[in-house]
Amino acid sequence: MMVKQEDRIPAGKRPYRPRFGGLVGNDGIRFAAWSSAASRLWVSIFDKQGNTEIDRLELQPEGEGVHALFVAGLAAGTRYGFRADGDYAPENGFWFDPDKLLVDPYAVEIDRPYVYDVRLAARRGEGTDTAPLLPKAIAATLPRVVPVLSPLFQPGGLIYEVPVRALTMLHPDIPKPQRGTIAALAHPAIVEHLKKLGVGAVELMPVMASIDERHLPPLGLRNAWGYNPVTFMALDPRLAPGGLAELRQTVATLRGAGIGVILDLVFNHTGESDRLGPTLSLRGLDSRAYYRHWPDGSLINDTGTGNTVACDHPIVWEIVLDTLRHFVCHAGVDGFRFDLAPVLGRVDGAFDAAAPLLTAILDDPLLGGRVLIAEPWDIGPDGYQLGNFPPPFLEWNDRYRDDIRRFWRGHSGMVGALATRLAGSSDVFAKPGQQTSRSVNFIAAHDGMTLADIVAYEHKHNEANGEQNRDGHDDNLSWNNGVEGETGDRAIVTDRFDDWCALLATLFASRGTIMLTAGDEFGRTQKGNNNAYAQDNEITWLDWAGRDQALEQYAVLLAAMRRSVPALSDTRFLTGEPPPGSENPDAVWLTETGTPLDEAGWRDPGRYRLVMMLGSDDCRLAVVINGDRRACMFTLPERDGFRWEPAVETPDGAAGISRPVPGRTVIFMIEHEAALVQIKENPSGK
């Protein structure tokens, strides 16, 4: 479908209150839904338990696809769903079936979780009424809008990626009834941990209501990540039994501790899956409009999940924008991370950085100033769009992930790539007029091996997923230090610990925003499973009792150093030239002898040593990287009146350069005026 320029949503022209859903008024409820192809639409009203349909009322066409009806006498708390009739020809993209109850796409609350049942996918005339199988939308009076404050999180800070359920299921300080919920994130034990790490924002993996993929229930598994949503605004009752109020209170508590909240949202597909999937909501209302189809009517699959939301359709722009406004206005979140974000920018199938939906988000007075993060790839044609989203979108940077892993894995000729990633990935993000990095640097994320498993498993081990280890990526750029998996060999255990520290230190030394997935700071493992989406169990639940406290303390020290040295959290690209008003270049790249790295050094395939010296007139920071397995003496250039001293003590005490720097180690040295160092060493002056 072609989208005309004049069809774009004018910024600020439409109020936040949505047009659709179960809109509660003083004397009743207005039910409204959209379909361009349905011949009839009904609202089904259920009893207080949501089990028995007590009324079915036909919505009236109001033009331009809007169907609505005001029902007097109904109040907040009413359970309801929609039904639609029209052509039934799935091969052509028409799925109308009045026996299928449809959950309101604008539902802000549902009365129970989604549970997959094969009857939800029955063809018209071959199944029964699906109302007993589905949650009911609850018409809700929304709370007063929270003050729309500027985001706490600023680019260059630390994002902590949180699988909400897995984070606290095994936490000994969290009351058992609260474990695995959004409310548990506000517990003092969690808040204190986040503050110790200097977390600028938690990024909550999907908390909207989702459904298991149809192959999981027979395997006794369930989706643990939530990347299979049905309704975009309704929170999953398993994660938020207190509903929107629970999220709102958690956001407020974290904000009071100086920590923002970013929601990971999925607008690229839904749990209705492919042509064999269940009919739950959008498919039954108007599949041809809400999803992208080929000319023959079959579903386009740019997501690998069976369907692709039609983000180039105005009705989809509307629900996406209303969802984002909902969470800003009623929960107070800092911003959003968009899963498979190129789908949001596809127009007639091709990615366009100026696509109507992306432009509308940036132009919206409520949304344009939020933290916006793109996962810049999908599996569709030309789906890899790293660096191509419009500012101020931040972007997950998989080139950073892969190059850092390659360097520490021991690939040859990687010192130049290492420097580029440390310096903010200007090769990706330095577009005309852009002087700051929009990179979100990460070494491990929810998808793939954990940071601990990267150095303990050379191959994936996904047998528990029930797909004979066929799922998940085969090329993990990981290594095992001599033994695959767990070992009691102390030398290997030590080598792995050193690699953990080196990876963490590299991340905290990098320009741009940095991201840790919860538990990577203390050695969480998934036993080599690099696709643990279906493991809602001890494989993904964080083992707080067994965490590596030495590694955790090192991460805390790295975080404190990053916060105390402005040059590290600065997002401007490093140029090698002095910043305005300074005599020192912003960065100098040195060999282990303290001399500038020349062209031959950059091209040396056997070079694994590098010093990144960040300049300042009153203080310089040297990041000393020994990626070789051999220890080496490093020399740093001296200045009169200044002395080098360790900025972070490593767990093994190898903090300085007065002796050889061990192999596979990163050392931080900071330069201070000699007089200040002497005062620090001898504060009494004796």
Side-chain angles (χ1 to χ4, degrees):
M1 185 201 78
M2 283 295 294
V3 179
K4 301 176 182 178
Q5 181 75 21
E6 57 267 29
D7 288 337
R8 296 187 179 192
I9 299 171
K13 294 297 184 182
R14 192 165 58 78
Y16 163 64
R17 182 173 171 83
R19 296 192 292 160
F20 302 110
L23 304 174
V24 179
N26 293 330
D27 303 316
I29 299 176
R30 172 182 163 86
F31 297 100
W34 186 91
S35 177
S36 65
S39 59
R40 301 176 72 185
L41 277 172
W42 297 267
V43 59
S44 291
I45 309 297
F46 292 84
D47 63 6
K48 292 181 179 180
Q49 290 72 41
N51 296 328
T52 302
E53 184 176 3
I54 58 176
D55 208 350
R56 186 179 303 187
L57 305 168
E58 186 166 0
L59 306 185
Q60 300 304 308
E62 293 186 349
E64 298 183 340
V66 178
H67 299 252
L69 181 70
F70 180 81
V71 183
L74 296 182
T78 297
R79 269 72 168 164
Y80 72 97
F82 292 130
R83 299 179 188 271
D85 199 2
D87 292 338
Y88 185 81
E91 65 278 6
N92 295 322
F94 297 105
W95 298 80
F96 295 109
D97 180 356
D99 283 341
K100 296 290 192 301
L101 187 74
L102 307 174
V103 182
D104 181 3
Y106 271 79
V108 296
E109 185 178 355
I110 57 175
D111 66 353
R112 67 199 75 177
Y114 291 97
V115 177
Y116 181 79
D117 189 297
V118 67
R119 290 172 290 177
L120 295 169
R123 293 179 63 86
R124 181 167 177 161
E126 297 178 2
T128 59
D129 185 353
T130 61
L133 308 176
L134 280 174
K136 314 306 182 293
I138 302 175
T141 301
L142 291 171
R144 181 174 297 179
V145 172
V146 299
V148 181
L149 305 174
S150 297
L152 286 174
F153 181 79
Q154 296 298 314
L158 169 62
I159 292 173
Y160 193 70
E161 188 190 31
V162 174
V164 172
R165 184 168 164 82
L167 181 72
T168 59
M169 286 299 293
L170 299 178
H171 198 297
D173 295 336
I174 308 295
K176 286 188 177 181
Q178 197 179 58
R179 292 180 187 178
T181 68
I182 291 174
L185 300 178
H187 189 278
I190 298 299
V191 174
E192 180 59 28
H193 183 76
L194 298 174
K195 290 175 67 175
K196 281 197 312 181
L197 277 176
V199 170
V202 291
E203 181 178 295
L204 307 187
M205 287 168 58
V207 294
M208 71 280 286
S210 63
I211 192 169
D212 290 332
E213 293 83 352
R214 62 177 177 268
H215 71 279
L216 293 182
L219 297 172
L221 300 174
R222 53 163 289 184
N223 190 308
W225 286 354
Y227 290 97
N228 205 37
V230 180
T231 38
F232 298 138
M233 298 185 199
L235 300 174
D236 195 306
R238 294 166 295 191
L239 299 177
L244 181 62
E246 181 172 334
L247 175 63
R248 181 181 173 116
Q249 182 57 54
T250 297
V251 170
T253 299
L254 291 172
R255 188 176 183 94
I259 301 165
V261 174
I262 297 168
L263 298 184
D264 188 344
L265 298 181
V266 182
F267 294 119
N268 58 78
H269 78 281
T270 78
E272 292 183 306
S273 189
D274 57 19
R275 64 183 181 85
L276 300 177
T279 297
L280 308 170
S281 183
L282 298 179
R283 170 177 286 173
L285 284 171
D286 195 334
S287 181
R288 296 280 298 198
Y290 285 110
Y291 298 115
R292 295 187 59 234
H293 292 72
W294 294 108
D296 66 359
S298 60
L299 288 159
I300 291 174
N301 184 18
D302 288 339
T303 62
T305 61
N307 63 53
T308 305
V309 174
C311 289
D312 55 355
H313 194 294
I315 199 63
V316 174
W317 309 343
E318 189 168 343
I319 194 170
V320 169
L321 291 170
D322 281 339
T323 300
L324 301 180
R325 294 172 184 138
H326 171 74
F327 286 120
V328 170
C329 288
H330 296 297
V333 300
D334 265 18
F336 308 96
R337 182 259 189 190
F338 299 97
D339 183 64
L340 301 186
V343 170
L344 279 70
R346 286 187 178 274
V347 179
D348 276 353
F351 178 79
D352 181 357
L357 179 53
L358 297 179
T359 299
I361 292 171
L362 294 176
D363 288 348
D364 189 275
L366 277 176
L367 306 176
R370 298 292 98 188
V371 179
L372 304 171
I373 303 173
E375 182 186 36
W377 49 77
D378 63 33
I379 68 166
D382 200 26
Y384 188 74
Q385 293 294 334
L386 179 65
N388 294 331
F389 278 76
F393 270 92
L394 304 177
E395 301 183 33
W396 273 29
N397 188 351
D398 64 328
R399 291 192 197 174
Y400 177 94
R401 176 199 66 197
D402 293 351
D403 283 346
I404 299 305
R405 290 192 190 186
R406 288 188 182 102
F407 175 83
W408 287 107
R409 193 187 192 202
H411 291 217
S412 62
M414 290 301 299
V415 72
L418 171 67
T420 299
R421 302 299 158 234
L422 287 169
S425 296
S426 60
D427 60 331
V428 175
F429 297 106
K431 303 295 175 65
Q434 298 183 31
Q435 298 178 334
T436 60
S437 178
R438 296 185 292 107
S439 178
V440 176
N441 301 318
F442 66 100
I443 295 170
H446 69 272
D447 188 6
M449 287 190 175
T450 70
L451 184 136
D453 288 352
I454 289 169
V455 307
Y457 295 87
E458 191 168 341
H459 307 287
K460 66 183 183 182
H461 295 271
N462 298 356
E463 291 81 5
N465 296 352
E467 299 183 42
Q468 292 75 52
N469 206 33
R470 293 190 301 264
D471 62 307
H473 294 294
D474 292 317
D475 184 12
N476 296 283
L477 297 173
S478 60
W479 60 100
N480 62 24
N481 278 287
V483 172
E484 188 76 357
E486 296 181 359
T487 179
D489 188 311
R490 294 184 64 84
I492 293 176
V493 170
T494 298
D495 287 344
R496 289 176 178 175
F497 183 84
D498 291 345
D499 286 351
W500 293 348
C501 292
L503 289 168
L504 282 175
T506 305
L507 179 66
F508 278 87
S510 301
R511 283 226 158 176
T513 297
I514 62 173
M515 185 183 77
L516 267 179
T517 296
D520 278 352
E521 72 276 17
F522 54 68
R524 74 180 179 103
T525 177
Q526 293 175 172
K527 311 300 183 185
N529 193 322
N530 74 352
N531 189 35
Y533 76 101
Q535 302 300 324
D536 183 19
N537 49 47
E538 287 82 357
I539 291 177
T540 56
W541 297 350
L542 273 64
D543 180 10
W544 290 90
R547 68 190 192 273
D548 191 308
Q549 296 189 37
L551 183 66
E552 180 181 334
Q553 181 58 27
Y554 184 55
V556 169
L557 293 175
L558 289 172
M561 178 202 61
R562 185 175 173 92
R563 294 195 303 274
S564 67
V565 180
L568 289 176
S569 55
D570 194 333
T571 59
R572 291 174 294 182
F573 295 116
L574 296 174
T575 65
E577 300 294 330
S582 175
E583 296 181 359
N584 287 298
D586 57 8
V588 178
W589 305 95
L590 306 173
T591 69
E592 58 270 29
T593 63
T595 59
L597 200 62
D598 59 18
E599 189 65 27
W602 285 116
R603 295 182 179 277
D604 181 359
R607 169 161 287 282
Y608 295 97
R609 297 177 181 133
L610 179 70
V611 176
M612 176 178 71
M613 191 165 67
L614 302 177
S616 170
D617 291 343
D618 57 355
C619 170
R620 293 184 296 179
L621 179 78
V623 182
V624 178
I625 300 172
N626 185 6
D628 202 305
R629 293 200 174 272
R630 298 165 294 177
C632 176
M633 286 297 300
F634 279 76
T635 301
L636 298 177
E638 303 282 354
R639 286 196 297 172
D640 289 340
F642 289 84
R643 283 177 55 183
W644 290 102
E645 63 173 354
V648 177
E649 183 175 345
T650 58
D652 63 358
I657 58 170
S658 59
R659 58 189 177 90
V661 174
R664 313 286 290 173
T665 298
V666 179
I667 299 291
F668 295 88
M669 300 295 294
I670 195 162
E671 186 188 53
H672 292 303
E673 292 185 44
L676 295 177
V677 176
Q678 290 174 351
I679 292 172
K680 180 180 177 181
E681 293 175 347
N682 186 18
S684 66
K686 297 179 181 179

